Amino acid sequence: MDVVILENSDAVAAEGAQRICTLLGEKPDAVLGLATGRTPLAMYRQLAADCKRGRVTFADVTTFNLDEYVGLNADDPQSYRRYMNRELFEQINIDPSNTKLPMCEPGVNPVSVGPRYEAAIRAAGGIDLQVLGIGQNGHIGFNEPTSSLNSRTRVKTLTRETLERNSQYFDDADGQPLIAVTMGIATIMDATAVLLLATGQDKAAAIQQLVEGPVSAMWPATALQLHETVTVLIDDAAASRLEKRAYYDWVGQQRQRLQSQFDGE
Ligand code: F6R
Protein backbone atom coordinates (compact mmCIF):
# COMPACT_ATOMS: atom_id res chain seq x y z
CA MET A 1 0.00 0.00 0.00
CA ASP A 2 1.23 3.41 -0.91
CA VAL A 3 0.34 5.74 1.98
CA VAL A 4 0.53 9.36 0.81
CA ILE A 5 0.05 11.91 3.60
CA LEU A 6 -0.62 15.49 2.56
CA GLU A 7 -1.08 18.58 4.68
CA ASN A 8 -4.80 19.18 4.17
CA SER A 9 -7.94 18.17 2.32
CA ASP A 10 -7.30 20.61 -0.55
CA ALA A 11 -3.98 18.91 -1.25
CA VAL A 12 -5.70 15.50 -1.19
CA ALA A 13 -8.29 16.71 -3.72
CA ALA A 14 -5.62 18.22 -5.99
CA GLU A 15 -3.46 15.08 -5.89
CA GLY A 16 -6.45 12.79 -6.49
CA ALA A 17 -7.52 14.86 -9.50
CA GLN A 18 -3.97 14.91 -10.80
CA ARG A 19 -3.75 11.12 -10.65
CA ILE A 20 -7.00 10.73 -12.57
CA CYS A 21 -5.82 13.25 -15.20
CA THR A 22 -2.56 11.34 -15.56
CA LEU A 23 -4.41 8.07 -16.07
CA LEU A 24 -6.75 9.64 -18.65
CA GLY A 25 -3.76 11.16 -20.43
CA GLU A 26 -2.31 7.66 -20.79
CA LYS A 27 -5.61 5.89 -21.40
CA PRO A 28 -8.36 8.26 -22.64
CA ASP A 29 -10.97 5.47 -22.70
CA ALA A 30 -10.28 4.34 -19.13
CA VAL A 31 -13.01 2.85 -16.95
CA LEU A 32 -13.30 4.65 -13.62
CA GLY A 33 -15.00 3.38 -10.48
CA LEU A 34 -16.45 6.32 -8.55
CA ALA A 35 -17.66 7.08 -5.04
CA THR A 36 -20.17 9.54 -3.62
CA GLY A 37 -20.17 11.19 -0.16
CA ARG A 38 -18.41 14.24 1.23
CA THR A 39 -14.82 13.16 0.59
CA PRO A 40 -14.51 13.19 -3.22
CA LEU A 41 -16.47 16.45 -3.71
CA ALA A 42 -13.44 18.75 -3.85
CA MET A 43 -11.66 16.35 -6.21
CA TYR A 44 -14.69 16.33 -8.52
CA ARG A 45 -14.70 20.14 -8.51
CA GLN A 46 -11.03 20.10 -9.48
CA LEU A 47 -11.67 17.60 -12.29
CA ALA A 48 -14.53 19.77 -13.58
CA ALA A 49 -12.20 22.79 -13.61
CA ASP A 50 -9.47 20.77 -15.34
CA CYS A 51 -11.96 19.61 -17.96
CA LYS A 52 -13.20 23.17 -18.59
CA ARG A 53 -9.61 24.31 -19.07
CA GLY A 54 -9.01 21.50 -21.55
CA ARG A 55 -6.47 19.74 -19.34
CA VAL A 56 -8.44 16.50 -19.45
CA THR A 57 -11.20 14.98 -21.52
CA PHE A 58 -13.83 12.48 -20.42
CA ALA A 59 -15.25 12.01 -23.93
CA ASP A 60 -14.30 8.32 -24.06
CA VAL A 61 -14.45 7.51 -20.34
CA THR A 62 -16.87 5.04 -18.77
CA THR A 63 -17.74 5.19 -15.08
CA PHE A 64 -19.25 2.73 -12.61
CA ASN A 65 -20.35 4.02 -9.24
CA LEU A 66 -19.93 1.95 -6.12
CA ASP A 67 -23.44 2.06 -4.81
CA GLU A 68 -27.00 3.36 -4.89
CA TYR A 69 -29.93 3.31 -2.48
CA VAL A 70 -32.68 0.79 -3.13
CA GLY A 71 -36.09 2.21 -4.01
CA LEU A 72 -35.13 5.74 -5.10
CA ASN A 73 -35.92 7.04 -8.56
CA ALA A 74 -32.96 8.33 -10.55
CA ASP A 75 -34.33 11.87 -10.27
CA ASP A 76 -34.82 11.66 -6.49
CA PRO A 77 -32.76 14.50 -4.99
CA GLN A 78 -31.19 12.03 -2.52
CA SER A 79 -30.21 9.42 -5.10
CA TYR A 80 -26.55 8.92 -5.83
CA ARG A 81 -27.44 9.24 -9.51
CA ARG A 82 -28.53 12.84 -8.86
CA TYR A 83 -25.44 13.48 -6.74
CA MET A 84 -23.15 12.25 -9.53
CA ASN A 85 -24.98 14.19 -12.26
CA ARG A 86 -24.87 17.37 -10.19
CA GLU A 87 -21.34 17.12 -8.77
CA LEU A 88 -19.48 15.66 -11.74
CA PHE A 89 -21.18 14.37 -14.86
CA GLU A 90 -22.96 17.63 -15.78
CA GLN A 91 -19.70 19.52 -15.19
CA ILE A 92 -17.53 17.48 -17.58
CA ASN A 93 -17.73 16.30 -21.18
CA ILE A 94 -18.69 12.72 -20.42
CA ASP A 95 -21.32 10.87 -22.47
CA PRO A 96 -24.18 10.35 -19.97
CA SER A 97 -24.84 6.89 -21.40
CA ASN A 98 -21.35 5.87 -20.26
CA THR A 99 -22.11 6.66 -16.60
CA LYS A 100 -23.45 3.67 -14.66
CA LEU A 101 -24.81 3.19 -11.17
CA PRO A 102 -26.37 0.03 -9.71
CA MET A 103 -29.83 1.58 -9.97
CA CYS A 104 -32.68 -0.13 -8.20
CA GLU A 105 -35.69 2.08 -8.81
CA PRO A 106 -39.10 1.22 -7.33
CA GLY A 107 -40.47 -1.96 -8.89
CA VAL A 108 -37.05 -3.39 -9.78
CA ASN A 109 -36.15 -6.62 -7.99
CA PRO A 110 -32.96 -5.66 -6.06
CA VAL A 111 -31.60 -9.19 -6.36
CA SER A 112 -31.43 -8.86 -10.14
CA VAL A 113 -29.29 -5.71 -10.08
CA GLY A 114 -26.00 -7.17 -8.82
CA PRO A 115 -25.34 -9.84 -11.45
CA ARG A 116 -26.29 -7.40 -14.24
CA TYR A 117 -23.93 -4.77 -12.84
CA GLU A 118 -21.08 -7.26 -12.58
CA ALA A 119 -21.69 -8.31 -16.20
CA ALA A 120 -21.67 -4.65 -17.33
CA ILE A 121 -18.34 -4.03 -15.58
CA ARG A 122 -16.88 -7.12 -17.24
CA ALA A 123 -18.26 -6.08 -20.65
CA ALA A 124 -16.57 -2.69 -20.26
CA GLY A 125 -13.26 -4.48 -19.77
CA GLY A 126 -13.06 -4.05 -15.99
CA ILE A 127 -12.28 -1.00 -13.86
CA ASP A 128 -8.90 0.64 -14.40
CA LEU A 129 -9.03 2.87 -11.33
CA GLN A 130 -11.48 2.59 -8.46
CA VAL A 131 -11.92 5.72 -6.32
CA LEU A 132 -13.00 5.01 -2.74
CA GLY A 133 -13.90 6.89 0.40
CA ILE A 134 -14.02 5.08 3.73
CA GLY A 135 -16.65 4.99 6.45
CA GLN A 136 -15.78 5.60 10.08
CA ASN A 137 -16.56 1.93 10.61
CA GLY A 138 -14.19 0.90 7.83
CA HIS A 139 -16.80 0.30 5.14
CA ILE A 140 -15.90 0.74 1.48
CA GLY A 141 -18.84 1.16 -0.85
CA PHE A 142 -21.65 0.03 1.42
CA ASN A 143 -19.75 -3.10 2.47
CA GLU A 144 -20.49 -2.77 6.14
CA PRO A 145 -18.53 -4.61 8.87
CA THR A 146 -18.91 -8.42 8.57
CA SER A 147 -19.34 -8.19 4.77
CA SER A 148 -17.78 -11.14 3.02
CA LEU A 149 -14.36 -10.24 1.72
CA ASN A 150 -15.34 -12.24 -1.37
CA SER A 151 -18.62 -10.40 -1.95
CA ARG A 152 -19.93 -9.22 -5.32
CA THR A 153 -22.45 -6.49 -6.18
CA ARG A 154 -25.53 -7.18 -4.08
CA VAL A 155 -28.11 -5.80 -1.68
CA LYS A 156 -26.74 -4.69 1.67
CA THR A 157 -28.57 -3.52 4.79
CA LEU A 158 -26.96 -0.38 6.20
CA THR A 159 -25.77 -0.23 9.80
CA ARG A 160 -27.33 2.15 12.31
CA GLU A 161 -24.14 4.26 12.38
CA THR A 162 -24.08 4.66 8.60
CA LEU A 163 -27.78 5.54 8.54
CA GLU A 164 -27.29 8.08 11.30
CA ARG A 165 -24.33 9.70 9.59
CA ASN A 166 -26.07 9.88 6.21
CA SER A 167 -29.37 11.08 7.72
CA GLN A 168 -28.01 14.65 7.46
CA TYR A 169 -28.68 14.41 3.70
CA PHE A 170 -32.36 13.49 4.13
CA ASP A 171 -34.92 16.13 5.20
CA ASP A 172 -37.42 13.42 5.98
CA ALA A 173 -35.99 10.52 8.06
CA ASP A 174 -38.85 8.26 6.91
CA GLY A 175 -37.71 8.71 3.32
CA GLN A 176 -34.18 7.43 4.02
CA PRO A 177 -33.68 3.97 2.47
CA LEU A 178 -32.33 1.33 4.85
CA ILE A 179 -30.82 -0.82 2.13
CA ALA A 180 -28.57 -0.22 -0.84
CA VAL A 181 -27.02 -2.07 -3.74
CA THR A 182 -23.24 -1.96 -3.50
CA MET A 183 -20.30 -3.35 -5.42
CA GLY A 184 -18.83 -6.15 -3.34
CA ILE A 185 -15.35 -6.28 -1.91
CA ALA A 186 -14.27 -8.79 -4.57
CA THR A 187 -15.66 -6.42 -7.23
CA ILE A 188 -13.49 -3.61 -5.83
CA MET A 189 -10.49 -5.93 -5.59
CA ASP A 190 -10.81 -6.69 -9.33
CA ALA A 191 -9.99 -3.07 -10.22
CA THR A 192 -6.51 -2.68 -11.68
CA ALA A 193 -5.71 0.11 -9.21
CA VAL A 194 -7.45 1.64 -6.19
CA LEU A 195 -7.29 5.23 -4.98
CA LEU A 196 -8.74 5.63 -1.49
CA LEU A 197 -9.25 9.18 -0.20
CA ALA A 198 -9.83 10.14 3.43
CA THR A 199 -9.73 13.47 5.21
CA GLY A 200 -10.43 14.57 8.75
CA GLN A 201 -9.93 13.30 12.25
CA ASP A 202 -13.13 11.24 12.18
CA LYS A 203 -11.49 8.88 9.67
CA ALA A 204 -8.28 8.38 11.68
CA ALA A 205 -9.33 5.12 13.39
CA ALA A 206 -10.56 3.56 10.15
CA ILE A 207 -7.35 4.58 8.35
CA GLN A 208 -5.22 3.10 11.12
CA GLN A 209 -7.08 -0.21 10.75
CA LEU A 210 -6.96 -0.06 6.94
CA VAL A 211 -3.19 0.37 6.84
CA GLU A 212 -1.97 -1.31 10.01
CA GLY A 213 -4.75 -3.54 11.31
CA PRO A 214 -5.25 -7.24 10.65
CA VAL A 215 -7.28 -8.18 7.56
CA SER A 216 -10.77 -8.69 8.88
CA ALA A 217 -14.39 -8.50 7.76
CA MET A 218 -14.94 -6.35 10.86
CA TRP A 219 -13.02 -3.58 9.03
CA PRO A 220 -13.91 -4.32 5.39
CA ALA A 221 -11.40 -1.83 3.95
CA THR A 222 -8.55 -3.99 5.33
CA ALA A 223 -9.16 -6.37 2.41
CA LEU A 224 -7.29 -3.77 0.34
CA GLN A 225 -4.05 -4.91 2.02
CA LEU A 226 -4.30 -7.89 -0.33
CA HIS A 227 -4.57 -5.69 -3.45
CA GLU A 228 -1.42 -5.12 -5.48
CA THR A 229 -1.90 -1.44 -6.35
CA VAL A 230 -3.56 0.71 -3.70
CA THR A 231 -2.85 4.36 -2.98
CA VAL A 232 -4.18 5.74 0.30
CA LEU A 233 -4.36 9.50 -0.11
CA ILE A 234 -4.98 11.17 3.24
CA ASP A 235 -4.54 14.44 5.09
CA ASP A 236 -2.68 14.94 8.35
CA ALA A 237 -5.81 14.57 10.46
CA ALA A 238 -6.80 11.24 8.92
CA ALA A 239 -3.20 10.05 9.38
CA SER A 240 -3.07 11.05 13.03
CA ARG A 241 -3.46 7.53 14.46
CA LEU A 242 -0.98 5.76 12.19
CA GLU A 243 1.70 4.14 14.31
CA LYS A 244 4.26 3.98 11.53
CA ARG A 245 3.67 7.51 10.28
CA ALA A 246 7.38 8.36 10.24
CA TYR A 247 8.01 5.41 7.94
CA TYR A 248 5.31 6.46 5.44
CA ASP A 249 6.79 9.96 5.29
CA TRP A 250 10.24 8.45 4.77
CA VAL A 251 8.93 6.24 1.95
CA GLY A 252 7.37 9.35 0.37
CA GLN A 253 10.70 11.17 0.47
CA GLN A 254 12.47 8.19 -1.13
CA ARG A 255 9.77 7.99 -3.81
CA GLN A 256 10.24 11.65 -4.67
CA ARG A 257 14.02 11.31 -4.71
CA LEU A 258 13.82 8.34 -7.06
CA GLN A 259 11.26 10.04 -9.29
CA SER A 260 13.29 13.24 -9.60
CA GLN A 261 16.12 11.19 -11.14
CA PHE A 262 13.81 10.26 -14.01
CA ASP A 263 11.93 13.55 -14.43
CA GLY A 264 11.96 14.74 -17.99
CA GLU A 265 12.23 11.24 -19.46
C1 F6R B 1 -20.04 6.34 -1.21
C2 F6R B 1 -19.55 5.19 -0.47
C3 F6R B 1 -19.15 5.26 0.95
C4 F6R B 1 -18.43 6.55 1.34
C5 F6R B 1 -18.12 6.58 2.84
C6 F6R B 1 -17.47 7.86 3.27
O1 F6R B 1 -20.37 5.99 -2.54
O2 F6R B 1 -19.52 4.16 -1.03
O3 F6R B 1 -18.33 4.16 1.26
O4 F6R B 1 -17.25 6.66 0.61
O5 F6R B 1 -19.29 6.40 3.57
O6 F6R B 1 -18.38 8.89 3.10
P1 F6R B 1 -17.94 10.41 3.31
O7 F6R B 1 -17.01 10.71 2.21
O8 F6R B 1 -19.24 11.17 3.18
O9 F6R B 1 -17.33 10.51 4.65
Side-chain angles (χ1 to χ4, degrees):
M1 248 180 209
D2 220 357
V3 181
V4 179
I5 304 169
L6 301 170
E7 55 183 341
N8 56 36
S9 56
D10 288 346
V12 168
E15 179 66 23
Q18 182 53 51
R19 285 172 184 245
I20 290 176
C21 290
T22 302
L23 169 68
L24 297 185
E26 289 162 3
K27 188 173 183 189
D29 61 348
V31 178
L32 299 178
L34 297 176
T36 57
R38 170 187 60 83
T39 311
L41 282 174
M43 181 178 79
Y44 292 157
R45 272 197 291 277
Q46 182 62 52
L47 285 172
D50 289 339
C51 186
K52 284 192 178 99
R53 277 191 219 111
R55 285 194 59 223
V56 64
T57 175
F58 290 83
D60 297 321
V61 170
T62 300
T63 64
F64 286 91
N65 262 78
L66 282 165
D67 39 23
E68 178 59 283
Y69 288 114
V70 167
L72 295 189
N73 283 302
D75 61 359
D76 189 298
Q78 310 303 340
S79 73
Y80 284 165
R81 161 55 78 185
R82 271 290 287 276
Y83 166 110
M84 288 307 301
N85 287 351
R86 185 178 63 239
E87 304 296 342
L88 186 65
F89 300 149
E90 286 167 4
Q91 317 302 329
I92 58 177
N93 64 337
I94 198 163
D95 177 347
S97 68
N98 288 341
T99 66
K100 325 277 183 193
L101 284 90
M103 295 306 300
C104 189
E105 292 181 276
V108 174
N109 180 353
V111 176
S112 68
V113 177
R116 267 192 281 129
Y117 205 59
E118 293 281 333
I121 294 172
R122 275 197 306 275
I127 292 171
D128 292 297
L129 178 69
Q130 175 66 56
V131 174
L132 295 176
I134 187 169
Q136 281 172 266
N137 63 4
H139 72 210
I140 45 175
F142 273 138
N143 295 287
E144 299 282 35
T146 73
S147 287
S148 162
L149 301 187
N150 246 334
S151 49
R152 292 274 160 195
T153 306
R154 70 210 182 289
V155 174
K156 196 69 199 163
T157 301
L158 305 182
T159 57
R160 292 256 171 238
E161 65 250 29
T162 297
L163 288 169
E164 231 160 77
R165 195 177 145 83
N166 289 355
S167 65
Q168 55 182 308
Y169 303 115
F170 290 84
D171 300 335
D172 164 24
D174 293 339
Q176 184 178 8
L178 308 180
I179 54 177
V181 174
T182 179
M183 277 187 202
I185 295 176
T187 322
I188 293 168
M189 294 291 283
D190 277 350
T192 304
V194 174
L195 179 64
L196 185 143
L197 312 179
T199 56
Q201 185 67 38
D202 60 340
K203 299 295 171 69
I207 289 297
Q208 197 272 330
Q209 287 292 326
L210 160 67
V211 179
E212 299 174 339
V215 174
S216 160
M218 289 301 285
W219 292 90
T222 58
L224 296 172
Q225 290 177 20
L226 302 175
H227 193 288
E228 199 182 356
T229 314
V230 177
T231 302
V232 178
L233 207 51
I234 51 181
D235 66 358
D236 256 322
S240 59
R241 290 178 68 166
L242 288 172
E243 286 168 23
K244 299 201 176 298
R245 160 85 199 243
Y247 177 65
Y248 311 130
D249 287 339
W250 170 242
V251 172
Q253 287 160 20
Q254 299 314 309
R255 190 189 309 112
Q256 270 178 3
R257 214 165 59 101
L258 199 64
Q259 232 160 3
S260 64
Q261 292 173 18
F262 297 97
D263 276 353
E265 271 192 15

PDB file of all heavy atoms in Angstrom, residues 43 91 124 151 172 209 227:
ATOM      1  N   MET A  43     -12.391  16.927  -5.066  1.00  0.00           N
ATOM      2  CA  MET A  43     -11.659  16.353  -6.211  1.00  0.00           C
ATOM      3  C   MET A  43     -12.511  16.456  -7.474  1.00  0.00           C
ATOM      4  O   MET A  43     -11.995  16.781  -8.547  1.00  0.00           O
ATOM      5  CB  MET A  43     -11.306  14.894  -5.927  1.00  0.00           C
ATOM      6  CG  MET A  43     -10.521  14.250  -7.051  1.00  0.00           C
ATOM      7  SD  MET A  43     -10.068  12.563  -6.692  1.00  0.00           S
ATOM      8  CE  MET A  43     -11.608  11.714  -7.055  1.00  0.00           C
ATOM      9  N   GLN A  91     -20.770  18.514 -15.181  1.00  0.00           N
ATOM     10  CA  GLN A  91     -19.696  19.523 -15.185  1.00  0.00           C
ATOM     11  C   GLN A  91     -18.554  19.152 -16.130  1.00  0.00           C
ATOM     12  O   GLN A  91     -17.602  19.903 -16.275  1.00  0.00           O
ATOM     13  CB  GLN A  91     -19.102  19.698 -13.769  1.00  0.00           C
ATOM     14  CG  GLN A  91     -20.108  19.754 -12.644  1.00  0.00           C
ATOM     15  CD  GLN A  91     -21.110  20.880 -12.827  1.00  0.00           C
ATOM     16  OE1 GLN A  91     -20.787  21.919 -13.402  1.00  0.00           O
ATOM     17  NE2 GLN A  91     -22.334  20.656 -12.369  1.00  0.00           N
ATOM     18  N   ALA A 124     -17.326  -3.928 -20.019  1.00  0.00           N
ATOM     19  CA  ALA A 124     -16.570  -2.688 -20.263  1.00  0.00           C
ATOM     20  C   ALA A 124     -15.060  -2.928 -20.179  1.00  0.00           C
ATOM     21  O   ALA A 124     -14.271  -2.008 -20.361  1.00  0.00           O
ATOM     22  CB  ALA A 124     -16.995  -1.618 -19.260  1.00  0.00           C
ATOM     23  N   SER A 151     -17.288 -10.772  -1.476  1.00  0.00           N
ATOM     24  CA  SER A 151     -18.625 -10.399  -1.948  1.00  0.00           C
ATOM     25  C   SER A 151     -18.576  -9.737  -3.320  1.00  0.00           C
ATOM     26  O   SER A 151     -17.578  -9.124  -3.706  1.00  0.00           O
ATOM     27  CB  SER A 151     -19.292  -9.465  -0.941  1.00  0.00           C
ATOM     28  OG  SER A 151     -18.415  -8.424  -0.581  1.00  0.00           O
ATOM     29  N   ASP A 172     -36.383  14.232   5.374  1.00  0.00           N
ATOM     30  CA  ASP A 172     -37.420  13.419   5.984  1.00  0.00           C
ATOM     31  C   ASP A 172     -36.825  12.047   6.316  1.00  0.00           C
ATOM     32  O   ASP A 172     -36.517  11.256   5.416  1.00  0.00           O
ATOM     33  CB  ASP A 172     -38.568  13.303   4.956  1.00  0.00           C
ATOM     34  CG  ASP A 172     -39.524  12.193   5.297  1.00  0.00           C
ATOM     35  OD1 ASP A 172     -39.599  11.834   6.485  1.00  0.00           O
ATOM     36  OD2 ASP A 172     -40.191  11.693   4.360  1.00  0.00           O
ATOM     37  N   GLN A 209      -6.747   1.202  10.980  1.00  0.00           N
ATOM     38  CA  GLN A 209      -7.079  -0.209  10.751  1.00  0.00           C
ATOM     39  C   GLN A 209      -6.766  -0.604   9.313  1.00  0.00           C
ATOM     40  O   GLN A 209      -6.184  -1.664   9.064  1.00  0.00           O
ATOM     41  CB  GLN A 209      -8.572  -0.457  11.022  1.00  0.00           C
ATOM     42  CG  GLN A 209      -8.937  -0.428  12.494  1.00  0.00           C
ATOM     43  CD  GLN A 209      -8.345  -1.597  13.272  1.00  0.00           C
ATOM     44  OE1 GLN A 209      -8.212  -2.700  12.754  1.00  0.00           O
ATOM     45  NE2 GLN A 209      -7.979  -1.349  14.515  1.00  0.00           N
ATOM     46  N   HIS A 227      -4.566  -6.185  -2.061  1.00  0.00           N
ATOM     47  CA  HIS A 227      -4.567  -5.695  -3.449  1.00  0.00           C
ATOM     48  C   HIS A 227      -3.171  -5.220  -3.797  1.00  0.00           C
ATOM     49  O   HIS A 227      -2.472  -4.633  -2.975  1.00  0.00           O
ATOM     50  CB  HIS A 227      -5.583  -4.553  -3.602  1.00  0.00           C
ATOM     51  CG  HIS A 227      -5.892  -4.196  -5.019  1.00  0.00           C
ATOM     52  ND1 HIS A 227      -4.996  -3.545  -5.835  1.00  0.00           N
ATOM     53  CD2 HIS A 227      -6.991  -4.407  -5.779  1.00  0.00           C
ATOM     54  CE1 HIS A 227      -5.542  -3.375  -7.031  1.00  0.00           C
ATOM     55  NE2 HIS A 227      -6.756  -3.882  -7.023  1.00  0.00           N
TER      56      HIS A 227
END
